[in-house]
Amino acid sequence: MASIEAKTGPMTHSRLPQRGLSRHARLALVWLALAAVPFVVPNAYWISLANLALINLVLIASLNLLMGYGGQISLAHAGFFGLGAYASGILNVRYGVPPWAGLPAAAVVAGLGALLIGIPALRLRGHYLAMATLGWNAILVVFFTQLVGFTGGPNGLLGVEPFSIFGHALDTEAKAFPLAWAVAFFVMLAISNLLASRIGRSIRAVATNELGAQSLGIDSFRTKLAVFVLSAGMAGIAGSLYVHINQYASPETFGIAPSIMLLVMVAIGGAGTFYGPMLGALIYTAVPQILLDYEDAELMLFGLGLLVVLILFPRGLAGIPAALTGLVRRRRA
Amino acid sequence: MNTPRRTDDLLEVENLTCRFAGVTAVDDLSFRVKAGEIKAVIGPNGAGKSTLFNMIAGVTRPTDGTIKFDGARIDRLPTHARARRGIARTFQNLQIFREMSVLENVMVGRHLRGRTTTLSGLLHLPSVGAEERAMEAAAMALLERFGLAAKAHAPAGSLAFGQMKVLELARALASEPRLLLLDEPAAGLPHAEADKMAETIRDLNRDGMTVLLVEHNMRMVMSLSHDILVLNNGRRIAEGTAEDVRRHPEVLSAYLGEEAADA
Amino acid sequence: MQTTTALLQVLSSGIGTGAVYALVALGFNVVFKSTGAMNFAQGEWVVMGGMVTALLIGTFSSVGLAVVAAVVLVGVVGLLSERLTVQPLKRPDALVITLVTIGLSIVSRSLVMLVLGKKPVGYAGFSGNTALSFGGVSIQSQTLWIIAITLAFLVVMHAFFERTILGKALRAAAADREAAAIVGVNVGSTVLLSFGIAALAGALAGAIVTPLTLASYDQGAIFGFKGFSAAMLGGLGSLPGAVVGGLALGLLEAFGSFYISSDFKDAIAFAVLLLILFVRPSGLLGRADIVKV
Ligand SMILES: Nc1ncnc2c1ncn2[C@@H]1O[C@H](COP(=O)(O)OP(=O)(O)OP(=O)(O)O)[C@@H](O)[C@H]1O
Ligand SMILES: [Mg+2]
């Protein structure tokens, strides 16, 4: 009898955002708490870190949608982030398009960038998306660096305008915070909504057992493509936020190294958990600051920390409570 | 095979062939399944039964031949499109969503009955919430019917083997299919559970479900099936009622001979 | 005439680079075969190979000895890496191992930086910095060394996989973990072995290419990336695939930068790579998996 089971394994034990206190209420509470950040931190530098953390959250949460729930690995997430940043930034600097129009444009351009590579790569089973996106990010970086006339090349894109509301420019960290805060909220809300619908279930089903999902009428190719494009589109939104808050962008921010780091942060936070990316974003933003004092040892400490977490908590930091209760239970038994 | 088309044929398989490197798993096979009947496909291990199922469901591409469902050709359609037309199946090797809850497994089975799109899902339009509640209720009803309601929120991977088989059946039914393909639904089940499975299939059929069944449990096949197709080496060696098949000399030698050797 | 000479020149440098990529790809493939993971630490071992050789040349005063010692040393680093980070994993699935190798690569890179310094290092070619001239085509002697040493290593590897019990066990475990375990293969030790071989191959690549490129602690990612691309191009997990993929990538880059633009060298190579993958998803020499249901 045939006995080889299909192993199109999921990335993790993906779970729906919990019930109980409704998921909307839960998210709203968390965001209300976050709104206090600018009032409790000591200075503007900290607010700039908070803004960065929120942008990173959009990146990591959208990658988590693809990886933790959709079971697909993208190594071009920073590249899509860059597509969004350059799309929005170039439209603004070279064509005078206001940032508010650049924001949706960034999502569309990054989404198209994903569509282009996703259509051929996702028709195939296996690791092809990971490989294809790795190559794709490399190509994108070459374009970011070499198309000097548009992107400003290695020197970066200068003179990007900030967002403005009723003619009032959001040109300080404190003024930009509410925007980053709101955009991150809507992205998290959208992800939560999607996961709680039949589409979210089909995304997880395809990741868990593609054949089983197809046999129930789910078009696995379109499902994977949709999540991939959506996730890239969200990275594009993060890119637009980044370029207009920073008023600058340069190619190294969007290379393969950050793409790999984002992947790691999804895992560290807890792939396939809704709030795990918040931990991932916090660590991604804070660790370079904390380790700054250690200069040359910074990388070493970071790498070691990473290994320790991966070995001790393969489900990520969000999985620690579960891991601990499991441990206690085993001790008792 | 040029038997005239009967209007009540739900599935028509004509000259179907499937060759793998070196093996002809299914060889120029033609048969029909009438709406409302239980048809069994039996044959020794490696006869080509699962390959036949996989071709009907769209997992394996036929080398040659045609498959019609409800009068229309489906042999070029991808798996999910065939499911959309009303073909649901279970697998010889369970293909459940182990990391998802039992309830969610069945809700995924109801996917085709939903309308939520990616966009409406992202925005959580009012219709989405209503659809979710309806789907959950329908899935829960199925779980109750199959005695799995108590396990609704457990991960599907934590179920006992027999429960997983039942879950896979419930999941397939959730889409309200017109043709149910069951690949060895009783394999590996203890007697009592196998009998219960047979009873379930009979009930489904009584409510109008057309069933194509692959099964090694002869007691179950003989008692359930209106019509039996016997395969050996990918070819049909007999077709007819339980009585016809039981007496067929080639069946005795090819199939039952092997059973005797097994014992 | 002029163009033929130029063409041959480009060809030879492409083959030289390609041979190095082939070695890196081989290391990548061995680990992929045994674990299903992408090994992000592969490139760091290349850098280590070059930098450790540079360090040892002073002590050994013989290039040959220094290379051998460095390669063996890095091989041991590979074995240690597996024991310390992969072996303790509770659920060693491909994704977790991939993430662990990312951590490994960071730690390895900073280790190299802290111990061996940030300055690029180099040493003369194995026959000095000489160039040989073949009818107007001038080829660096080190390029010939690279080709010869790569060939020799491939022959040894081939013999290892085909002839030795250990090599066969490794292949069996790669083909089917469970079946191999049933017939008594220690699957855990095959993973260990694959990390050792991968580190050896990487270090060798680094040791022989450094005379042409210098070695610096921050080059690992590029090497790993190139090796990974070559492995994909040839067919993941295939030994001949690594060779074909490495050469193809080396030639692609050489001709791409010659005919089009060296600024877009990488983009051209990757664009072709993606095109090939979409036409032949399993790579030039790879085979698609069959799943039975
Ligand atoms: N993907 C495949 N590639 C190659 N050969 C295959 C493949 N799938 C099935 N076969 C071969 O086709 C033949 C028929 O297999 P199939 O699984 O259809 O038999 P079966 O009647 O379902 O047997 P069982 O009762 O054991 O389930 C066997 O010889 C099998 O080895
Ligand atoms: Mg079968």
Side-chain angles (χ1 to χ4, degrees):
Chain A
M1 257 188 265
S3 64
I4 307 161
E5 214 174 318
K7 279 193 186 129
T8 41
M11 296 293 106
T12 60
H13 284 239
S14 47
R15 223 167 290 133
L16 273 178
Q18 309 84 331
R19 312 236 162 151
L21 185 60
S22 92
R23 61 187 174 82
H24 284 162
R26 203 181 276 256
L27 187 64
L29 274 180
V30 173
W31 245 256
L32 277 179
L34 286 183
V37 168
F39 304 104
V40 296
V41 296
N43 54 40
Y45 178 67
W46 280 79
I47 303 181
S48 78
L49 286 184
N51 290 342
L52 190 59
L54 287 165
I55 292 171
N56 286 335
L57 174 61
V58 173
L59 286 175
I60 294 168
S62 56
L63 186 57
N64 182 39
L65 175 65
L66 177 72
M67 176 175 150
Y69 293 99
Q72 291 290 320
I73 296 177
S74 165
L75 285 164
H77 213 59
F80 297 132
F81 180 42
L83 271 181
Y86 279 114
S88 198
I90 289 171
L91 279 175
N92 180 240
V93 173
R94 316 252 180 254
Y95 304 98
V97 176
W100 288 116
L103 188 80
V108 170
V109 170
L112 284 178
L115 199 64
L116 203 64
I117 197 77
I119 287 178
L122 287 170
R123 287 216 179 272
L124 316 161
R125 271 198 197 190
H127 300 282
Y128 294 106
L129 191 69
M131 303 178 201
T133 47
L134 191 63
W136 191 220
N137 205 142
I139 292 176
L140 289 176
V141 169
V142 172
F143 283 109
F144 296 157
T145 317
Q146 300 299 337
L147 296 177
V148 180
F150 283 105
T151 63
N155 293 333
L157 184 66
L158 300 165
V160 186
E161 289 173 13
F163 284 95
S164 62
I165 290 179
F166 305 123
H168 185 81
L170 305 178
D171 52 3
T172 66
E173 297 300 346
K175 287 183 197 166
F177 178 86
L179 178 72
W181 176 81
V183 171
F185 173 75
F186 284 117
V187 167
M188 291 295 277
L189 181 67
I191 292 175
S192 164
N193 284 343
L194 189 70
L195 288 173
S197 75
R198 106 181 158 128
I199 303 294
R201 241 183 343 263
S202 63
I203 290 169
R204 293 189 300 137
V206 169
T208 313
N209 189 328
E210 184 163 356
L211 186 66
Q214 286 171 334
S215 80
L216 299 168
I218 295 170
D219 185 340
S220 61
F221 168 69
R222 285 189 56 168
T223 303
K224 287 189 276 187
L225 190 63
V227 199
F228 181 48
V229 169
L230 193 64
S231 147
M234 289 172 175
I237 290 176
S240 177
L241 270 187
Y242 174 85
V243 81
H244 294 293
I245 291 181
N246 255 10
Q247 300 173 36
Y248 172 78
S250 66
E252 71 275 4
T253 314
F254 313 116
I256 290 169
S259 277
I260 293 173
M261 271 309 129
L262 289 171
L263 195 78
V264 168
M265 289 306 148
V266 170
I268 292 275
T273 63
F274 183 72
Y275 288 103
M278 293 190 68
L279 294 172
L282 200 65
I283 291 169
Y284 192 41
T285 314
V287 163
Q289 307 300 322
I290 296 169
L291 294 183
L292 223 47
D293 296 339
Y294 296 89
E295 289 188 17
D296 283 357
E298 174 194 336
L299 261 183
M300 173 68 80
L301 291 173
F302 177 63
L304 287 176
L306 182 61
L307 285 174
V308 167
V309 173
L310 285 172
I311 292 169
L312 294 183
F313 309 107
R315 298 263 162 80
L317 294 178
I320 288 182
L324 288 183
T325 43
L327 200 69
V328 171
R329 226 172 268 154
R330 238 175 295 141
R331 282 277 151 78
R332 290 223 181 109
Chain B
M1 282 292 296
N2 260 327
T3 35
R5 174 159 198 264
R6 301 173 307 205
T7 49
D8 58 350
D9 285 333
L10 188 59
L11 186 75
E12 301 162 73
V13 170
E14 299 284 345
N15 309 106
L16 201 61
T17 301
C18 179
R19 265 181 231 109
F20 296 113
V23 207
T24 303
V26 172
D27 193 357
D28 197 26
L29 184 68
S30 303
F31 70 94
R32 276 132 198 250
V33 181
K34 272 186 287 190
E37 77 173 345
I38 297 180
K39 179 148 188 158
V41 181
I42 62 172
N45 289 135
K49 306 178 297 289
S50 293
T51 305
L52 172 66
F53 264 34
N54 284 337
M55 284 192 289
I56 297 172
V59 176
T60 304
R61 183 165 273 244
T63 317
D64 207 357
T66 62
I67 306 168
K68 283 187 188 168
F69 181 69
D70 201 15
R73 286 209 28 194
I74 57 165
D75 44 83
R76 299 272 135 171
L77 296 179
T79 304
H80 64 87
R82 300 189 201 194
R84 197 158 295 165
R85 300 258 173 126
I87 300 178
R89 71 174 296 188
T90 64
F91 295 83
Q92 182 170 353
N93 301 304
L94 293 167
Q95 304 288 337
I96 59 171
F97 309 116
R98 287 169 179 275
E99 283 80 11
M100 296 170 78
S101 75
V102 170
L103 179 66
E104 283 177 321
N105 266 265
V106 182
M107 287 173 81
V108 176
R110 251 193 114 62
H111 181 82
L112 285 171
R113 299 279 148 189
R115 312 214 94 83
T116 301
T117 60
T118 304
L119 192 65
S120 66
L122 283 168
L123 301 177
H124 195 69
L125 298 181
S127 64
V128 179
E131 177 179 296
E132 276 301 295
R133 284 188 292 279
M135 272 196 179
E136 191 173 327
M140 214 49 213
L142 266 170
L143 288 181
E144 257 147 36
R145 172 168 171 198
F146 287 103
L148 285 172
K151 297 269 182 188
H153 297 286
S158 71
L159 293 184
F161 177 75
Q163 292 176 316
M164 288 194 196
K165 289 225 128 182
V166 175
L167 173 62
E168 217 188 31
L169 177 61
R171 187 182 71 175
L173 288 172
S175 63
E176 298 170 27
R178 298 166 64 199
L179 173 66
L180 193 55
L181 308 176
L182 302 176
D183 199 350
E184 306 200 8
L189 296 186
H191 266 303
E193 286 181 42
D195 286 348
K196 219 171 140 201
M197 180 63 84
E199 212 41 58
T200 306
I201 297 170
R202 198 193 314 277
D203 287 348
L204 285 170
N205 177 252
R206 214 167 272 149
D207 296 342
M209 183 66 70
T210 312
V211 179
L212 188 59
L213 169 74
V214 165
E215 187 47 68
H216 285 292
N217 180 334
M218 278 311 125
R219 206 157 51 98
M220 181 166 163
V221 168
M222 295 297 170
S223 74
L224 275 180
S225 319
H226 302 112
D227 200 25
I228 299 174
L229 170 68
V230 191
L231 293 186
N232 193 18
N233 294 324
R235 269 189 293 264
R236 176 180 55 194
I237 55 174
E239 190 172 4
T241 62
E243 277 312 300
D244 298 343
V245 167
R246 210 181 307 222
R247 282 203 213 95
H248 200 285
E250 234 181 303
V251 176
L252 288 173
S253 66
Y255 191 79
L256 301 178
E258 195 209 60
E259 281 237 313
D262 272 358
Chain C
M1 244 10 255
Q2 192 69 44
T3 50
T4 325
T5 317
L7 213 69
L8 287 173
Q9 198 89 52
V10 175
L11 189 72
S12 74
S13 88
I15 292 177
T17 328
V20 173
Y21 291 167
L23 282 180
V24 187
L26 185 146
F28 193 89
N29 272 346
V30 176
V31 170
F32 180 80
K33 267 284 214 190
S34 73
T35 63
M38 299 190 224
N39 177 13
F40 279 89
Q42 185 66 43
E44 308 306 327
W45 295 332
V46 178
V47 169
M48 275 189 206
M51 295 201 57
V52 175
T53 305
L55 183 77
L56 295 182
I57 275 182
T59 7
F60 283 104
S61 70
S62 142
V63 190
L65 269 183
V67 168
V68 172
V71 168
V72 170
L73 204 69
V74 178
V76 173
V77 169
L79 295 175
L80 272 177
S81 303
E82 195 276 344
R83 274 299 101 137
L84 293 176
T85 63
V86 177
Q87 209 237 345
L89 292 175
K90 274 167 264 165
R91 247 185 13 148
D93 61 38
L95 180 71
V96 174
I97 296 180
T98 302
L99 293 168
V100 161
T101 65
I102 294 175
L104 255 181
S105 77
I106 296 174
V107 171
S108 307
R109 188 180 319 148
S110 62
L111 201 67
V112 169
M113 183 184 82
L114 293 172
V115 177
L116 301 173
K118 290 184 188 174
K119 271 207 295 291
V121 296
Y123 38 88
F126 301 166
S127 312
N129 289 329
T130 53
L132 286 81
S133 176
F134 300 93
V137 184
S138 132
I139 299 177
Q140 299 224 292
S141 62
Q142 186 63 19
T143 302
L144 297 179
W145 273 111
I146 288 177
I147 295 170
I149 290 176
T150 303
L151 272 177
F153 186 74
L154 290 174
V155 169
V156 171
M157 275 294 115
H158 183 74
F160 171 76
F161 282 116
E162 298 293 329
R163 297 279 152 77
T164 67
I165 302 224
L166 216 53
K168 285 180 187 165
L170 194 63
R171 283 197 309 161
D176 187 338
R177 258 166 178 270
E178 279 145 42
I182 289 169
V183 297
V185 173
N186 182 341
V187 178
S189 69
T190 63
V191 173
L192 175 68
L193 188 63
S194 72
F195 270 74
I197 293 175
L200 273 186
L204 186 63
I208 60 180
V209 80
T210 297
L212 297 181
T213 59
L214 299 186
S216 148
Y217 80 100
D218 56 0
Q219 285 171 337
I222 308 259
F223 274 119
F225 189 38
K226 292 290 166 66
F228 173 60
S229 310
M232 271 161 42
L233 191 55
L236 272 181
S238 142
L239 180 66
V243 181
V244 171
L247 287 179
L249 187 64
L251 289 172
L252 251 172
E253 284 185 5
F255 281 98
S257 49
F258 181 70
Y259 281 109
I260 308 177
S261 146
S262 68
D263 288 341
F264 286 86
K265 177 180 88 172
D266 286 348
I268 296 162
F270 286 120
V272 174
L273 176 83
L274 289 179
L275 282 180
I276 290 178
L277 275 184
F278 295 143
V279 181
R280 268 197 69 86
S282 45
L284 294 170
L285 299 184
R287 270 180 311 154
D289 296 339
I290 296 171
V291 180
K292 258 179 105 180
V293 287

